[in-house]
Amino acid sequence: MSRGVGIPSKEAPDPRIYSSGRWLRRDKLERESRFIEFSFAALCKRVLELCPGAVSIASYEKKEGGYNKVFIFTMNNASRVVARLPTSIAGPSRLTTNSEVATVKYLQSKTRIPIPKILDWSDDSTNIIGSEYIIMEHATGVQLHQMWPAMSLEQQVACTGAIVRNMQQMTALDFHVYGSLYFDDIDIDPALKHSLTPGYAIGPHCGHRYWDCELGEPKYYSSVKPNRGPWLDLAAYRSALIDIGVSRIPPPNVFVNEKPFYHGANAEHVRLMNFSRDVGSKLIEDSRIQTAAAPILLHPDLHKRNIYVSDQDPTTITSIIDWQSSSINPAFMHANEIPDFAAHIPIPDNQLPSENLPADENAKLCNHAFISGVRLLVPKLYATWELDVDITRFFEYCHRTYRDGAGILRQVLMDLANRWTELALANPCPYPLPTSEQWLAHRGEYQALENAQELKRFVTSRLNTASDGWVPTDAWQETVENHQQLYEEFLQTMCEEDLRKVWPFDEPGSISRKSE
């Protein structure tokens, strides 16, 4: 927390620098990608101009997530304002900010969903502040994740129902094109704008996967062109997913660091993408998939930290925040998304009853309330849950082969091919069932891939890090030391060459212990 009129003293941390944590993998690149060049003084001046009755900023708090830098300003009259600046990896410049603001304004004009009022915004980084930004009122209420543990079962179920009713309003909106919402005066190719209502248009999709802003995952457009929408039909949308997968595969003339054998050769990734294009074409001919492909707009991260409730009545939703990257997708792309307030993880049969059992029972009932609510109020989404999981998994993984490893997409295709007739899909299946030799080779590769994933889960659990190796700044030095010790433990049973190929983070000797 910093105090003053908005200009940090020489001793105060530089607000442009990412300072909330460090990474055990690609630390320098991760932090540099979250540096934002801007004028904090100009931002503070603009915030004051937007707060009638305030004459100074009493204090501010900086919060940093994966894609944005957020400042919560408290004025001398106790009013609060939030300013959010996107990093370079938040999404395509200009489009991400314009789309988020347009989405919020559109929802506020068409629904009763409680969203904080936007006071000012700019999608032009050449403005006086030096960065794109959104300045908005602070959300009213208390974050649901703070209230949830103390809420009764009846309150949790009622709150779940209230959230579903907000989802109902989102999905009741009619769209006929897949993509992202924008103001219709945005300066992009007119051919990429499809008019929606006066003042709004649907344009290119803002999702990270469609743009070259995924850290450490460049796109290559030698064999496919960028395919970012908007898309008029499901066939065009499906083609874009495959084009993404192809664009992640490096061409032969590009050097990349050696991958573990289980990642698969580039030629195998290309082969799998060619089959995926054919399988996808066949799948979207099915009437069940077409029914589950309604274009819908849903919040991209509808979890407890983005939902605010009344501190007097936690069943009342007061604000839903963070609409960045909200887009219009086929409903089935959300088929496997269950919000954290409705997630239910069953207790294994061999686990003895414990003090956690009631909480698990509550989670089970909230999950049931969520599913029942969606069945009654959000039919477009519920229709996707009636699709077999092997079908929805194809669309989830068909563009990720180079990211995940060839074995995962190959397994998805094999599962689908094995059940093709059972699922009553139009014959023949474009993906051929493997020979016994191919199956054995696949099982070896897939098992090695699973072992590497299990190692990653074990390491992140032991070190208490995020899956990408993120560590809070105040725990950095201790975590680096524990990382070194854990690595040395594994060296007792593995040679270092083999360990480095599967270790999820950077080699310990290359990681600085200093908290910079």
Side-chain angles (χ1 to χ4, degrees):
M1 180 78 73
S2 300
R3 297 185 176 275
V5 296
I7 303 176
S9 66
K10 291 182 179 179
E11 294 76 22
D14 187 340
R16 302 172 302 169
I17 294 174
Y18 182 87
S19 58
S20 296
R22 301 280 299 274
W23 282 263
L24 292 173
R25 180 170 177 262
R26 304 183 307 200
D27 179 56
K28 186 173 184 291
L29 179 62
E30 294 279 3
R31 287 185 292 140
E32 287 179 347
S33 70
R34 290 166 174 82
F35 175 89
I36 301 177
E37 184 61 68
F38 74 103
S39 170
F40 188 69
L43 177 63
C44 292
K45 182 175 183 293
R46 184 60 186 139
V47 166
L48 273 173
E49 292 171 348
L50 295 167
C51 296
V55 297
S56 66
I57 295 173
S59 63
Y60 71 90
E61 181 180 4
K62 183 178 76 168
K63 292 181 177 292
E64 295 169 308
Y67 301 114
N68 301 281
K69 199 178 294 289
V70 177
F71 297 94
I72 303 174
F73 294 96
T74 301
M75 307 296 124
N76 67 301
N77 61 359
S79 62
R80 290 193 296 172
V81 172
V82 176
R84 198 176 79 217
L85 285 62
T87 67
S88 61
I89 57 174
S93 60
R94 292 191 309 115
L95 301 187
T96 301
T97 299
N98 189 291
S99 180
E100 180 176 4
V101 177
T103 299
V104 167
K105 298 279 190 179
Y106 187 79
L107 288 171
Q108 288 173 330
S109 70
K110 299 290 184 179
T111 73
R112 300 183 307 280
I113 298 170
I115 307 174
K117 180 182 178 181
I118 293 176
L119 304 175
D120 189 30
W121 65 282
S122 174
D123 60 0
D124 181 2
S125 61
T126 65
N127 59 49
I128 193 170
I129 291 172
S131 168
E132 299 178 36
Y133 66 86
I134 299 175
I135 301 174
M136 67 196 86
E137 294 179 344
H138 192 281
T140 57
V142 181
Q143 278 183 311
L144 180 57
H145 87 97
Q146 295 178 2
M147 299 288 287
W148 192 262
M151 291 166 60
S152 67
L153 172 60
E154 291 76 15
Q155 288 175 324
Q156 290 181 350
V157 170
C159 183
T160 298
I163 296 169
V164 172
R165 288 191 291 276
N166 279 281
M167 294 174 61
Q168 178 189 24
Q169 295 183 62
M170 297 178 214
T171 58
L173 298 170
D174 288 324
F175 302 102
H176 303 287
V177 178
Y178 304 113
S180 293
L181 270 172
Y182 298 92
F183 292 111
D184 62 5
D185 62 354
I186 186 171
D187 185 18
I188 60 175
D189 184 348
L192 298 179
K193 293 192 287 188
H194 290 263
S195 180
L196 180 59
T197 59
Y200 298 94
I202 299 176
H205 200 293
C206 279
H208 299 96
R209 60 174 173 251
Y210 298 100
W211 301 85
D212 198 7
C213 58
E214 293 177 303
L215 198 60
E217 297 183 21
K219 300 287 196 307
Y220 306 95
Y221 297 113
S222 57
S223 57
V224 293
K225 295 180 179 179
N227 191 346
R228 297 156 177 163
W231 306 284
L232 300 180
D233 54 37
L234 185 56
Y237 183 92
R238 184 271 313 163
S239 291
L241 289 180
I242 303 303
D243 288 346
I244 293 167
V246 174
S247 71
R248 285 176 167 150
I249 305 171
N253 62 335
V254 174
F255 172 80
V256 294
N257 292 329
E258 183 181 359
K259 300 282 188 180
F261 83 93
Y262 55 77
H263 184 266
N266 285 6
E268 173 64 2
H269 289 288
V270 171
R271 187 185 77 90
L272 290 172
M273 292 313 305
N274 288 337
F275 277 119
S276 294
R277 195 178 293 278
D278 294 338
V279 169
S281 295
K282 200 82 167 180
L283 287 176
I284 63 173
E285 295 174 359
D286 191 281
S287 60
R288 295 165 296 178
I289 296 172
Q290 293 172 4
T291 298
I296 64 171
L297 175 67
L298 272 180
H299 189 287
D301 190 18
L302 196 60
H303 297 299
K304 294 195 289 280
R305 291 183 181 275
N306 288 329
I307 301 170
Y308 283 67
V309 297
S310 166
D311 59 350
Q312 301 298 314
D313 177 11
T315 69
T316 300
I317 310 300
T318 57
S319 295
I320 298 179
I321 65 169
D322 195 3
W323 293 84
Q324 188 177 73
S325 299
S326 298
S327 298
I328 302 160
N329 299 300
F332 62 66
M333 293 301 289
H334 301 280
N336 299 320
E337 298 174 1
I338 300 293
D340 58 357
F341 60 83
H344 170 54
I345 304 175
I347 292 178
D349 293 336
N350 61 351
Q351 181 172 322
L352 297 174
S354 68
E355 294 179 354
N356 294 325
L357 186 57
D360 181 78
E361 287 300 308
N362 282 12
K364 183 177 180 179
L365 291 170
C366 288
N367 175 264
H368 178 73
F370 178 74
I371 292 173
S372 298
V374 170
R375 179 187 295 115
L376 292 172
L377 302 176
V378 195
K380 293 177 184 176
L381 181 59
Y382 187 73
T384 72
W385 294 350
E386 295 186 318
L387 285 178
D388 191 273
V389 67
D390 281 336
I391 293 175
T392 57
R393 284 178 73 239
F394 170 79
F395 291 102
E396 181 179 356
Y397 288 99
C398 67
H399 57 90
R400 294 173 45 167
T401 175
Y402 195 78
R403 167 185 282 186
D404 298 336
I408 292 181
L409 179 56
R410 191 188 305 116
Q411 185 67 50
V412 168
L413 290 168
M414 289 166 60
D415 290 342
L416 200 52
N418 274 314
R419 300 187 59 215
W420 193 267
T421 301
E422 175 193 343
L423 294 171
L425 295 166
N427 284 317
C429 174
Y431 187 76
L433 290 173
T435 64
S436 57
E437 289 183 357
Q438 290 171 334
W439 167 252
L440 288 174
H442 165 73
R443 285 309 303 166
E445 182 180 306
Y446 191 76
Q447 185 61 56
L449 193 154
E450 285 189 321
N451 291 343
Q453 291 181 330
E454 181 59 35
L455 173 65
K456 183 176 182 178
R457 285 191 290 268
F458 175 80
V459 172
T460 55
S461 177
R462 270 282 296 267
L463 299 178
N464 194 28
T465 74
S467 60
D468 62 355
W470 182 85
V471 179
T473 300
D474 58 4
W476 177 250
Q477 292 186 11
E478 179 183 1
T479 302
V480 170
E481 292 173 2
N482 292 339
H483 179 235
Q484 176 76 51
Q485 293 172 5
L486 186 60
Y487 187 81
E488 290 174 355
E489 287 179 24
F490 274 88
L491 281 178
Q492 302 302 312
T493 57
M494 295 179 66
C495 73
E496 188 161 14
E497 182 180 356
D498 290 340
L499 182 58
R500 284 184 179 180
K501 290 179 181 178
V502 297
W503 195 251
F505 304 134
D506 291 343
E507 192 273 320
S510 66
I511 300 175
S512 170
R513 285 179 166 78
K514 295 181 180 179
S515 296
E516 298 174 6

